[in-house]
Amino acid sequence: MSEEKSLNFIEEIIENDLAEGKYQSIITRFPPEPNGYLHIGHSKSICLNFGLSQKYGGSTNLRFDDTNPVTEDTEYVESIKEDIKWLGFNWSNEYYASDYFDQLFEYAVTLINKELAYVDDSSSEEIALLKGTPTEAGKESPYRNRTIEENYKLFIEMKSGKYKDGEKVLRAKIDMASSNMLMRDPIIYRIKHAHHHRTGNKWCLYPMYDFAHGQSDSIENITHSICTLEFIPHRELYDWLISKLEIYPSHQYEFARLNMTYTVMSKRKLLQLVNEGFVSGWDDPRMPTICGLRRKGYTPLSIRNFCEKIGVAKRENLIDLSLLEFCLREDLNQIAKRVMAVLDPLKLVITNYEDGKTELLNSENGPDESMGSREIPFSKELWIEREDFMEEPAKKWFRLAPGAMVRLKSAYIIQCDSFEKDHNGNVRVIHCTYFPDSKSGQDTSGISVKGTIHWVSVMHAATAEVRLYDRLLKSENPAAEEGDFKDYINPNSLEIIKEVYIEPSLSNATFEDRFQFIRKGYFCLDKDTTNGHLVFNRTVTLKDAWSKEVKKG
Ligand code: ATP
Ligand code: MG
């Protein structure tokens, strides 16, 4: 079913620009700073930037915004590339802001020559003091009126390493009384004697974000430079620099970043979770990072569909995490192979079934016939889920209880005759009889039952470790809470079941496979799997157990 979708505001701008002939085709960019792993918020920006150039015929550059040598690393560069490819996008060019350092330096010299930039010897405290407040104009620096020659000489000396960090900065000469604080002679270059992950020790002088970003857009002829709302005040400076430098006029447009319930998204906070051991790493399946979601079993399509559904707006809001999970279930429902696994086993013996006999039963792999079927071994002793038996059944209980009948999935109808308890009073085994003429697909028994339960043959079962995840944070909006977000960490976000029983076909599971353990949730193989030891992650439950809990109170 195709939905007629109205255009978002950026699409409207682009369609207008194209209709007016302002551009023949568009160029966008995704500009991550390689100082951490990408998270679900970034995927919104990725889907938007790549989606626009796909829709309107154009291209998207991947540009690493690597102007801050201290926090950046090639480990992050590699992970970012892997994540974008996994999401299903290909960039036209791979660029680095650091490739433009020479050009940016020349731009700065141009500003100096136009008397639009000056070297300031003030300390950062002095600069802050003279900056004024939003309601009060700032004061001019005593260094503001240096000559072109003096500024040029000092700037070259700054580059040559003559000065220490913080001793001098280069500032744009704009307006100390501007109502926009960012226009009050912003710093555009600072001295930093630091090793850069790509340029090594060539530079001891680095451009500030505002001097690098817009100019990089311009160098690449970006037509639509899309960023998040907090950059609105930067747009005036973005435009000022482009106009004074007389370079390609890229335009900046701002959209609302993704915020999601029960999730923190700032890289700084995610780094704390990793460094302080709250999770096992950036790719811990509880992390909102792309690699964490991937490891948990998310599919690229589910994330792209989610980004499509949340749309692009100009106002901040909070998206419900359950929408992301909804998109995930929608996709997994189509592709996951239905299999049987028993997480909390109880033994069931079919007293009238022949000892030692094995029957291979045909079971469909999914709701769609094209997914095919497989054979599963059936025998006298089975594992079933402990919660599927009730000694004293509640009303409307359609599963096993003394005297009650159920269908064993893809097998026979059985009736429970008796059960035994251990010395602690726990049910140890239940005894049933089966109806040989009730075999699934060729049932002539005439018996109708309401419940179907899953099972695994004791003598054929394989075993696996299963990891069940819950949300990492207990707060619906952790960013809005007072105090430290780590006070809201859910202490029960991971439950490990060391040994569950799985049908033997699962021994051949691959990392690409997606499974529905029927009635138990969606699962995939975790990278901790070794030759003799399977580990499955629960990707998501079948239904939203959490919101049911909340409704119950
Ligand atoms: P963080 O605040 O998490 O550290 P960032 O904005 O510093 O993230 P960048 O690497 O600079 O991270 O981001 C690259 C691109 O992704 C930017 O264009 C940024 O606007 C966008 N982006 C980052 N977070 C989100 C988000 N939550 N929703 C939408 N876009 C985002
Ligand atoms: Mg940033």
Side-chain angles (χ1 to χ4, degrees), residues 100-316:
Y100 309 140
F101 281 170
D102 286 300
Q103 174 73 73
L104 295 172
F105 187 84
E106 288 311 312
Y107 287 154
V109 170
T110 304
L111 288 185
I112 290 173
N113 286 333
K114 290 185 163 190
E115 290 190 89
L116 292 172
Y118 61 97
V119 174
D120 195 331
D121 301 1
S122 310
S123 66
S124 53
E125 293 77 28
E126 287 163 343
I127 290 177
L129 266 177
L130 292 181
K131 199 119 212 201
T133 67
T135 52
E136 191 192 325
K139 294 194 183 70
E140 292 185 359
S141 158
Y143 302 96
R144 199 175 199 259
N145 295 311
R146 281 177 157 155
T147 61
I148 292 176
E149 291 68 31
E150 194 180 2
N151 279 318
Y152 180 72
K153 174 176 156 278
L154 291 171
F155 191 49
I156 297 291
E157 285 175 357
M158 282 166 72
K159 184 189 181 194
S160 71
K162 186 163 175 191
Y163 304 109
K164 291 200 280 292
D165 289 9
E167 249 188 289
K168 285 183 168 43
V169 292
L170 185 74
R171 298 177 71 178
K173 193 173 184 175
I174 310 180
D175 178 8
M176 288 306 290
S178 171
S179 58
N180 182 348
M181 298 289 284
L182 291 173
M183 297 298 279
R184 293 184 186 176
D185 291 9
I187 296 171
I188 56 176
Y189 262 97
R190 69 208 188 291
I191 297 172
K192 206 166 225 168
H193 291 269
H195 183 88
H196 186 279
H197 75 112
R198 295 188 88 237
T199 57
N201 294 323
K202 176 174 175 193
W203 295 90
C204 61
L205 180 76
Y206 293 94
M208 301 297 285
Y209 170 86
D210 283 312
F211 197 69
H213 201 93
Q215 280 51 260
S216 303
D217 284 344
S218 183
I219 291 168
E220 295 172 21
N221 286 7
I222 301 299
T223 55
H224 299 82
S225 171
I226 301 161
C227 61
T228 43
L229 292 181
E230 65 273 22
F231 289 96
I232 289 177
H234 296 253
R235 193 193 326 131
E236 193 178 353
L237 179 54
Y238 184 105
D239 291 341
W240 185 90
L241 287 165
I242 282 179
S243 110
K244 298 301 176 193
L245 291 168
E246 301 175 67
I247 53 180
Y248 181 85
S250 298
H251 289 280
Q252 175 183 306
Y253 302 94
E254 308 87 8
F255 72 102
R257 63 194 297 117
L258 169 67
N259 303 301
M260 201 162 65
T261 56
Y262 304 101
T263 307
V264 289
M265 253 179 285
S266 113
K267 280 186 276 197
R268 190 177 50 81
K269 289 181 181 165
L270 297 178
L271 190 61
Q272 282 179 47
L273 290 173
V274 173
N275 286 345
E276 296 172 30
F278 290 102
V279 294
S280 62
W282 285 99
D283 69 347
D284 186 299
R286 292 165 293 177
M287 290 284 273
T289 48
I290 305 290
C291 55
L293 296 171
R294 175 165 66 229
R295 182 168 170 193
K296 197 175 181 193
Y298 271 76
T299 59
L301 182 63
S302 65
I303 295 177
R304 292 199 305 266
N305 284 344
F306 169 72
C307 291
E308 178 74 32
K309 275 200 167 65
I310 57 178
V312 183
K314 282 195 217 181
R315 202 175 306 159
E316 295 268 350

Side-chain angles (χ1 to χ4, degrees), residues 39-134:
H39 51 62
I40 183 74
H42 290 113
S43 63
K44 179 175 179 183
S45 175
I46 293 170
C47 290
L48 179 60
N49 279 297
F50 284 91
L52 287 170
S53 67
Q54 281 174 358
K55 178 167 179 180
Y56 294 107
S59 55
T60 300
N61 293 338
L62 169 59
R63 184 199 316 140
F64 289 101
D65 210 339
D66 58 348
T67 54
N68 186 359
V70 184
T71 54
E72 293 159 4
D73 203 316
T74 39
E75 171 196 347
Y76 300 129
V77 169
E78 292 312 314
S79 76
I80 288 169
K81 292 202 282 190
E82 185 184 351
D83 289 349
I84 299 172
K85 278 190 235 158
W86 178 77
L87 278 171
F89 298 106
N90 297 304
W91 48 92
S92 309
N93 301 288
E94 177 182 331
Y95 290 137
Y96 293 79
S98 55
D99 291 340
Y100 309 140
F101 281 170
D102 286 300
Q103 174 73 73
L104 295 172
F105 187 84
E106 288 311 312
Y107 287 154
V109 170
T110 304
L111 288 185
I112 290 173
N113 286 333
K114 290 185 163 190
E115 290 190 89
L116 292 172
Y118 61 97
V119 174
D120 195 331
D121 301 1
S122 310
S123 66
S124 53
E125 293 77 28
E126 287 163 343
I127 290 177
L129 266 177
L130 292 181
K131 199 119 212 201
T133 67

Side-chain angles (χ1 to χ4, degrees), residues 507-518:
S507 306
N508 304 319
T510 71
F511 289 101
E512 284 68 45
D513 287 329
R514 294 291 183 279
F515 298 102
Q516 185 190 105
F517 289 4
I518 48 179

